[in-house]
Amino acid sequence: MVGLAVTGGLAVASGIALVQYVETTLERSTPEGLLQAYTNQLTADSYRDQVINSREQDGALHPMHELHSFVMSGLSNGEWATAENGLIEFERVSQGVIEELAGRGDLQRTDALAGHYFKTPIQEYLPRITAQAIEDGESDLARQAVQSIERITETGLKYYYTLIISSATSGLSRIIREAPDGEDGDSIRRRCLRVYSNLLTTVVEYPYSKDVFTLLSLYSSQFRKLLIRDREPWVYRHELEEFFRRSIGPAHKQTVGQYGQYISELDVDWHNRTQSMDAEGIAPYNMLFTYRRYSLEVIGYILNYYSRNEEWPLSPGVLRETWSNMLSDAISANTGRYSQAVCRWYIDLAYLICQAGDGNIGDWAVRLEKIEDYHDSAEMVDDAFDEALEKGMTAAFEGKGGIYRLLQTQDHFSIR
């Protein structure tokens, strides 16, 4: 009887094992099953080991290559649901690995491997998926791939993994560069520019001025490449509005609001750099110069477009609104001499825009008067005007590198 019981038990165990084997085999015979099996075994340790192998051994693949291939295969075979599921897993696994690696301290700038964990996935795989999705007419999947870049990068920033920014900006730049002409290409370019904007408003919350510089530098360069095509103004308008209203303006407000007292105490010439980008403890200083620099670069591209086409790709009113808000924010944050510098730049910008062809000098004057009354800052505004009349336009507004230079004489507009 004991032997029969043992035999029966073995039979039951074998039956269970057989059922599990069959179920597992059947599960893995489907694309979704293979996907789940791969992602389940991908841990932070195995991810790190595979990244090391991919850098040290020829032919060794990045750990995200399987997921990339899964999505590309789905696209090639017209299996859109499969491709979408693969993209969802691509994002989920990336975010999970970031969280695990951050918890172990493996994402520090001092770790030589930290900059390579997501370089290939974000700079190569997701842009390639985006391009293929556009080619196949799957614009929703293309937008989802761009959104994955944003979400993975946002997760990295959440865990202070700012090295991921370089990969994100490179990936976005590649998508913008390689996107085809036509509505589908324009749509994905707009989506990428919006990601730039969203990332900037996140990055300014961290005291890493070099990351702000990296983002704004590449963000600005996209407008140079787009505006030089001289397409109809409406093609650019919304994205340019986003740059000033949702990027430059809010980023500047965040910085002056957070560091107002520190900014007011700085003994510097706000019209010219007097400190090194690498100096310790001056992140706000560098960030403020970065906002001005790239804001003016994009304004230069806009003015050049206007001079070639006699049409504004962006309403000058947006520039007036953005810079008047920046002035008001600087005054509200008690930034001292920096506020007067911003007022001076507002005056210079009014001159440039009105000389170029806007002509609404009265609108600029009204804006300034409202700020003057609201903040009781008549003396500061008078000092800014006196300085402008005495010294002429500041070098930054004359046009760095010959981008746009209007000031040829010493005559000045009065916006009083």
Side-chain angles (χ1 to χ4, degrees):
M1 294 294 291
V2 174
L4 288 174
V6 170
T7 302
L10 289 172
V12 171
S14 297
I16 293 173
L18 180 60
V19 170
Q20 290 176 336
Y21 171 77
V22 171
E23 288 178 346
T24 301
T25 301
L26 287 173
E27 181 183 283
R28 294 193 178 194
S29 67
T30 65
E32 286 72 17
L34 287 170
L35 177 67
Q36 199 63 50
Y38 179 74
T39 56
N40 285 343
Q41 57 84 36
L42 192 59
T43 64
D45 284 328
S46 63
Y47 190 96
R48 180 180 174 85
D49 290 343
Q50 289 182 60
V51 170
I52 293 173
N53 289 338
S54 69
R55 287 180 48 74
E56 295 179 349
Q57 299 179 22
D58 291 337
L61 298 174
H62 191 280
M64 297 299 287
H65 185 268
E66 290 292 333
L67 288 172
H68 159 256
S69 297
F70 185 91
V71 177
M72 293 295 283
S73 177
L75 288 170
S76 298
N77 296 326
E79 298 170 350
W80 313 129
T82 297
E84 182 179 9
N85 288 336
L87 199 49
I88 290 171
E89 285 300 297
F90 194 108
E91 182 181 316
R92 184 188 68 80
V93 169
S94 298
Q95 291 174 316
V97 169
I98 288 174
E99 184 175 355
E100 281 192 67
L101 291 173
R104 298 169 6 160
D106 289 339
L107 297 181
Q108 302 297 321
R109 289 174 178 263
T110 52
D111 187 333
L113 200 61
H116 300 280
Y117 283 125
F118 292 92
K119 183 176 182 179
T120 299
I122 295 179
Q123 289 187 200
E124 296 182 25
Y125 294 163
L126 287 172
R128 199 176 297 157
I129 289 170
T130 303
Q132 188 63 51
I134 294 174
E135 185 176 329
D136 293 339
E138 289 299 308
S139 56
D140 286 345
L141 279 173
R143 286 192 292 271
Q144 185 177 337
V146 173
Q147 188 176 56
S148 292
I149 293 179
E150 178 178 9
R151 287 177 173 171
I152 293 168
T153 306
E154 291 278 8
T155 300
L157 294 175
K158 176 182 176 182
Y159 291 99
Y160 302 95
Y161 178 38
T162 56
L163 289 174
I164 201 171
I165 291 173
S166 178
S167 297
T169 52
S170 295
L172 293 169
S173 297
R174 176 175 173 177
I175 293 171
I176 292 173
R177 183 174 64 250
E178 297 179 355
D181 292 332
E183 179 52 36
D184 287 342
D186 288 341
S187 176
I188 208 66
R189 288 189 188 93
R190 286 193 289 268
R191 188 70 192 89
C192 289
L193 290 171
R194 190 161 302 167
V195 174
Y196 269 112
S197 177
N198 293 340
L199 290 180
L200 179 64
T201 55
T202 299
V203 169
V204 296
E205 297 178 6
Y206 300 87
Y208 302 115
S209 56
K210 286 186 178 180
D211 297 321
V212 174
F213 181 89
T214 298
L215 255 177
L216 266 178
S217 173
L218 287 169
Y219 190 9
S220 167
S221 72
Q222 303 311 318
F223 288 110
R224 176 178 58 81
K225 297 169 186 175
L226 292 175
L227 285 164
I228 199 67
R229 298 183 180 190
D230 288 336
R231 297 179 61 188
E232 296 88 347
W234 64 265
V235 174
Y236 312 102
R237 187 161 292 132
H238 181 72
E239 282 59 54
L240 286 167
E241 288 180 358
E242 290 265 310
F243 178 80
F244 289 103
R245 284 178 168 159
R246 294 190 67 250
S247 299
I248 292 293
H252 180 268
K253 182 175 184 177
Q254 166 75 18
T255 300
V256 296
Q258 186 173 356
Y259 301 103
Q261 182 176 352
Y262 171 81
I263 293 168
S264 68
E265 294 173 354
L266 284 174
D267 184 19
V268 298
D269 177 0
W270 285 108
H271 299 303
N272 297 286
R273 275 197 175 279
T274 56
Q275 299 188 38
S276 166
M277 283 286 288
D278 298 323
E280 291 294 330
I282 59 168
Y285 171 85
N286 288 333
M287 289 162 72
L288 292 174
F289 271 98
T290 298
Y291 302 146
R292 189 189 73 174
R293 172 177 175 176
Y294 291 108
S295 177
L296 291 184
E297 278 200 5
V298 175
I299 290 172
Y301 306 147
I302 291 169
L303 290 171
N304 275 328
Y305 178 96
Y306 178 82
S307 69
R308 293 191 305 269
N309 300 281
E310 296 185 350
E311 289 184 284
W312 290 101
L314 172 74
S315 168
V318 174
L319 301 179
R320 183 169 60 246
E321 173 192 322
T322 300
W323 279 76
S324 63
N325 287 342
M326 289 168 64
L327 172 56
S328 183
D329 292 336
I331 297 172
S332 295
N334 297 315
T335 56
R337 288 185 301 158
Y338 176 71
S339 298
Q340 182 174 326
V342 179
C343 185
R344 170 80 182 284
W345 301 336
Y346 179 91
I347 295 167
D348 287 349
L349 183 60
Y351 176 85
L352 277 178
I353 298 300
C354 294
Q355 278 284 76
D358 178 41
N360 294 321
I361 195 67
D363 292 339
W364 290 83
V366 168
R367 275 273 186 178
L368 189 57
E369 288 170 1
K370 287 182 178 179
I371 293 172
E372 186 177 345
D373 291 342
Y374 182 80
H375 293 284
D376 192 21
S377 56
E379 183 177 353
M380 181 270 289
V381 173
D382 286 342
D383 289 344
F385 268 106
D386 290 343
E387 186 180 40
L389 291 170
E390 178 185 349
K391 299 181 179 179
M393 187 174 289
T394 52
F397 282 78
E398 289 184 87
K400 184 178 180 181
I403 291 175
Y404 199 87
R405 190 182 183 95
L406 281 174
L407 186 63
Q408 301 296 329
T409 66
Q410 288 302 310
D411 62 310
H412 293 271
F413 271 103
S414 172
I415 63 174
R416 285 300 201 177

